[in-house]
Amino acid sequence: MTRRVRRKVAKKGKDDAVSLSYLEIEVEDLGLERNGDVDWTSLPDDTVIQLFFCLNYRDRASLSSTCKTWRVLGASQCLWSSLDLRAHKFDTATATSLASRCVYLQKLRFRGAESADAIIHLQAKNLREISGDYCRKITDATLSVIVARHEALESLQLGPDFCERITGDAIKAVALCCPKLKKLRLSGIKDVYADAINALAKHCPNLVDVGFLDCLNVDEAALENVSSVRFLSVAGTSNMKWDVVSQLWHKLPKLIGLDVSRTDIGLAAISRLLSSSLSLKVLCALNCPVLKEETSISTTKTNGKLLLALFSDIFRELSSLFAETSNKGRNVFLDWTCSKNKDKNLNEIMTWLEWILSHTLLRTAESNPQGLDNFWLKQGAALLLSLMQSSQVDVQERAATGLATFVVIDDENASIDRGRAEAVMRDGGIRLLLNLAKSWHEGLQSEAAKALANLSVNANVAKAVAEEGGINILAALARSMNRLVAEEAAGGLWNLSVGEEHKAAIAEAGGVKALVDLIFKWSSGGDGVLERAAGALANLAADDKCSMEVAIAGGVHALVMLARNCKFEGVQEQAARALANLASHGDSNSNNAAVGQEAGALEALVQLTRSPHEGVRQEAAGALWNLSFDDRNREAIAAAGGVEALVTLAQSCSNASPGLQERAAGALWGLSVSEANSIAIGREGGVAPLIALARSDTEDVHETAAGALWNLAFNHSNALRIVEEGGVPALVHLCSSSLSKMARFMAALALAYMFDGRIDEFAPMSSSSESTSKSVSLDGARRIALKHIEAFIRTFSNPQAFAAAAASSAPAALAQVTEKARIQEAGHLRCSGAEIGRFVSMLRNSSSILKACAAFALLQFTIPGGRHAVHHASLMQGGGAARVLRAAAAAATSPIEAKIFARIVLRNLEHHHQVEPSI
């Protein structure tokens, strides 16, 4: 159970991968140059063995097969005394292939039930320690077979996730088969009954460390019989009878450390244990409700024993274990690790404390209880950072995971606690995490990368990570052949790439290529790594230069492959978002066309608009919207069924998020640029949902819906449909009330199209009574529309500036009017020759309001500096618009707005050198 910052939480498979080797990272960091060929076979045997030691088991086996000498060295006993299999697919076949090397294997870490089933095939009869996680599906039968084959076992740890299918029967089997057992830690057992505990007491005389963590029931009385126990933890265990505990456990003759953290232990039980036990030295009771405030324990005498609780100064308490306490403080664990202390009892206590504290802090961070902010800021963060420097690798891992977890407020919305994140940064946590990320231990790399990823959601921490060289480290880890490390590194790059200032650095570090390669490397079965890689590429693709890097690295093909083939919604959403961003750069690069030309790209995106997941539909629609700006893409989308799919999407998103509504309407807007598509959209029923979206409360939706209706209204059939579907009131409301100038502008243009007379010319013939009724209806709608168009135009009028412009042809006067009338965003609109021609024709309309509207629109389209102003000016020159403009500017019957705006348009045309200067 790990809380992590991510929009969609992906489950890790049992065969998740691990890490880049220490050797690879060091070579990259040092930038070693190689000149000429290297005869690797000439290296001393000791050096080769050290190289082998830095590799995971699979790479060791692979490298051993290269030559006879290395085969012998690769089988050296020292290389195969310990195996960490968690990050790789470990099944019976793999175990059998490794068996010959595992004769002297002593320590084993594994993950999942399949790996547990395969352990016996290693034939490692000398195994001393077994540690497993993801153990929910491991059964009594599997565990019984494992312990029966490994009678020399001294340590067995399963957790921290719950062992739901293991019962007391398996514990009895452990006791009977492993008489040398010294340490037993099990998590999430439903019922640890008396017979099982008594079997341990009888058959395991050396059992000194017992942990039944997060269990449902544990027989308290039976634990008194385990007289050999020195360290006992029941952290998180429920249904404990604390009165029985207080009466019996103080009798345990060798009990030094007791952990009751995260339980409902009462004050009386704590007091009795502290006062009655002769051997007890440390009682850990972190996150126990009864001990949340110091006042609750003020009457309790500890009798010189350590009581670790949320209110206590944990570092000071730990320092008191040492004879010399003046120089300990927050460095107590590090000082102890680095010391040459020969006190065996003290070393055992500190080793156990590191383990139980790291476990409790991680579990507390995962549950994220209320009211612990003060603890995390004052002690919790510092404890985790201190534990990250432990000599125990599993403690370091849990501490790093704890850091990744305790900062998270909301997984789904990618929110972290700013104070906690910056506390980690202030205490030097970034450098510590980066050092762990460079370790050759696979688990440390992945957990450190995870913590860096989560912390980097905070902009200040992200800056610190970048300044400390974290981008290069994460980019290197993203190249790992081990999936788990690559996944977490990609997550780090994803969060860092949110900041515009980090994108270029990620590209320079080779991050783009590494992320693209990840997609090809884990194209099947790696949903977590694929989602993070695609998410990072999506962020990077939003930058023009980085988008080119993505395309050069093969990112278009990789992302389209994900959109086509991956079934996991998180991957689909990020792949579609990445394609949308790649296609968003318009004329600045060729990525828009490249995406459209990639085989299956448009078909895949059209299909994703039908996804049951809103996020996927939103990003797919956004991608199609951006792609529709390219003429060939626009027609190809329609040919791929895009019109029907997007109309259906628009019809279904009336209650959806504004983001989905905006993109659905935007994609239809983009497609409707083509008259054939516009007609098809109207025929497929696209008018009604666009009118519904025009009634949205969100400005962005206003703009896209108004833009789509504007394009549709160019066609007389669609214009009539808009009237019949009740679109006039919706457009009138937009024209008069939207906070978006662009939405108001395009709503006015749509109304102008609808009532410039074309709809009357093409209206179907009907009976006299029907014709009269429709005529009355259209006339009423026309009056309302023209009234609001006029009101809209006047909001851009300045009477004093108009009067000055009418009295003088001075450029300054016209410039003042232009500044008042300009709608900045309108400069991005691109009109066809037919559309420009229609506005020019509208200048001859009998309606003075439509004349003013046409002149106002042409002004927006030709203002110097507009993205398509030169294009529009060229179309107007070719259509002879100058003559019509001069006539409108000089006509006595034209309203002053039409006259002044027409003169400004003529000036604009002169600026673009499309007409001769007027006299």
Side-chain angles (χ1 to χ4, degrees), residues 125 174-175 185-186 234 271 295 297 350 353 480 670 750 792 817:
K125 296 183 179 180
V174 172
R185 294 170 180 163
L186 302 175
V234 290
S271 299
T295 54
I297 198 69
M350 292 298 289
L353 279 171
S480 171
F792 168 73
V817 174

Side-chain angles (χ1 to χ4, degrees), residues 81-122:
S81 62
S82 176
L83 275 182
D84 186 348
L85 307 173
R86 292 173 299 166
H88 299 274
K89 183 177 178 60
F90 180 67
D91 53 18
T92 300
T94 306
T96 302
S97 69
L98 289 172
S100 63
R101 300 177 176 86
C102 294
V103 176
Y104 301 104
L105 184 64
Q106 294 189 2
K107 297 181 181 180
L108 177 67
R109 301 187 73 177
F110 72 93
R111 171 167 290 164
E114 184 180 17
S115 296
D117 291 335
I119 288 175
I120 60 172
H121 298 283
L122 286 172

